Amino acid sequence: MMHILVTLLLVACHSIPTTWAVTCTGCVDLDELSFQKTVERFPYSIVKFDIAYPYGEKHEAFTAFSKSAHKATKDLLIATVGVKDYGELENKALGDRYKVDDKNFPSIFLFKGNADEYVQLPSHVDVTLDNLKAFVSANTPLYIGRDGCIKEFNEVLKNYANIPDAEQLKLIEELKAKQEQLTDPEQQQNARAYLIYMRKIHEVGYDFLEEETKRLLRLKAGKVTEAKKEELLRKLNILEVFRVHKVTKTAPEKEEL
């Protein structure tokens, strides 16, 4: 009997994909009993219907989105529903309610305060971090930008590299005042990065953006910890805010020695 049990266990282990990723950091697992009550407690909910034990790039993208969303807002529930087409068919009725295609998982829905008002991520749209952010931004007033970015800063810094020096200095003072009002330590650190880049572009010109981007990418490609990689990525994301389609402002003249 023991031999049979061991054999079955080994077969089961070999049948599980090596890339199996069960957990989704920050996600709430919902089922047929908890679904409606939970969704209706939040202004907005994004829910991924998938196989019971999801893995792969799409699941990883949803997990990455969950991490970003938790930093950006408290008004969005990020949840998953595992649908089984075997055994007791757990959550299959819930999937049927929303016409989930179990041959084309995952299906992602955005609910707006109740279980009957929702939009679905179009099936032709790839499940990526950026597409999930765009999906939420297009259908809600919520802002989930790139990690490190601050919405209020982004809005006033469009075309910063091309505006006159006096306007640049004025913006630096305005955003410095806003930075001092921030209470979240991570946002304070991100705001400091904005201000550093604003001053550098004011002093050196647009060339700074290109050179700094190359420098940060070299550091990120080197042997650094995951925490350092995340910090460098946030800085790269902030740098992208300053990128313009066309530079129309003349770079400051370098003083001769």
Side-chain angles (χ1 to χ4, degrees):
M1 185 66 180
M2 182 61 71
H3 175 72
I4 294 172
L5 287 173
V6 171
T7 302
L8 289 173
L9 182 61
L10 288 172
V11 171
C13 288
H14 283 297
S15 66
I16 296 172
T18 56
T19 54
W20 202 18
V22 179
T23 58
C24 174
T25 305
C27 296
V28 176
D29 292 326
L30 300 178
D31 55 31
E32 291 167 353
L33 292 177
S34 63
F35 182 84
Q36 186 151 341
K37 289 181 180 179
T38 307
V39 164
E40 292 181 349
R41 289 179 180 175
F42 288 81
Y44 304 98
S45 303
I46 186 167
V47 183
K48 177 170 74 76
F49 287 77
D50 208 338
I51 59 175
Y53 303 105
Y55 61 94
E57 292 181 357
K58 294 179 180 180
H59 182 65
E60 290 168 6
F62 195 78
T63 301
F65 171 80
S66 173
K67 293 177 181 178
S68 293
H70 275 285
K71 294 177 182 178
T73 180
K74 297 178 181 178
D75 293 331
L76 179 68
L77 169 72
I78 304 98
T80 57
V81 174
V83 180
K84 289 185 178 180
D85 60 357
Y86 57 90
E88 297 183 3
L89 303 178
E90 293 174 25
N91 298 323
K92 189 176 187 307
L94 187 57
D96 291 342
R97 175 180 175 181
Y98 296 103
K99 297 180 174 58
V100 171
D101 181 3
D102 60 5
K103 300 292 189 292
N104 191 32
F105 279 132
S107 293
I108 296 173
F109 296 81
L110 180 66
F111 295 87
K112 302 181 179 183
N114 67 70
D116 296 317
E117 186 182 353
Y118 61 87
V119 290
Q120 183 175 359
L121 182 73
S123 58
H124 66 272
V125 176
D126 289 336
V127 180
T128 65
L129 175 59
D130 287 340
N131 285 346
L132 289 169
K133 288 181 178 180
F135 176 55
V136 171
S137 296
N139 292 284
T140 75
L142 304 179
Y143 174 78
I144 306 173
R146 294 182 174 187
D147 286 350
C149 292
I150 302 171
K151 182 182 180 182
E152 292 78 11
F153 282 41
N154 288 7
E155 289 174 347
V156 298
L157 289 173
K158 293 175 182 177
N159 206 38
Y160 173 83
N162 285 325
I163 66 175
D165 286 352
E167 289 184 33
Q168 287 183 345
L169 290 172
K170 183 181 177 182
L171 271 178
I172 289 171
E173 291 305 312
E174 288 177 2
L175 294 191
K176 183 180 178 183
K178 286 189 176 183
Q179 186 258 337
E180 291 170 353
Q181 295 172 2
L182 295 172
T183 56
D184 180 78
E186 187 172 307
Q187 280 215 320
Q188 287 180 342
Q189 184 178 357
N190 294 335
R192 280 195 290 271
Y194 274 95
L195 290 166
I196 289 170
Y197 297 153
M198 290 174 74
R199 293 187 183 100
K200 285 291 186 180
I201 291 172
H202 171 74
E203 295 167 2
V204 181
Y206 193 75
D207 287 346
F208 166 78
L209 186 145
E210 301 297 345
E211 293 302 318
E212 182 67 0
T213 299
K214 290 176 185 176
R215 186 184 76 85
L216 293 176
L217 286 172
R218 283 196 302 270
L219 290 173
K220 185 170 174 285
K223 293 182 179 180
V224 294
T225 64
E226 283 303 313
K228 187 64 178 179
K229 279 187 179 180
E230 289 180 5
E231 178 192 332
L232 293 169
L233 180 59
R234 287 195 294 271
K235 289 182 177 180
L236 285 164
N237 288 341
I238 293 169
L239 271 177
E240 283 302 304
V241 174
F242 296 93
R243 195 171 295 279
V244 294
H245 178 66
K246 184 179 180 181
V247 180
T248 57
K249 184 180 179 182
T250 305
E253 291 185 7
K254 294 181 180 180
E255 294 183 6
E256 294 184 4
L257 297 176

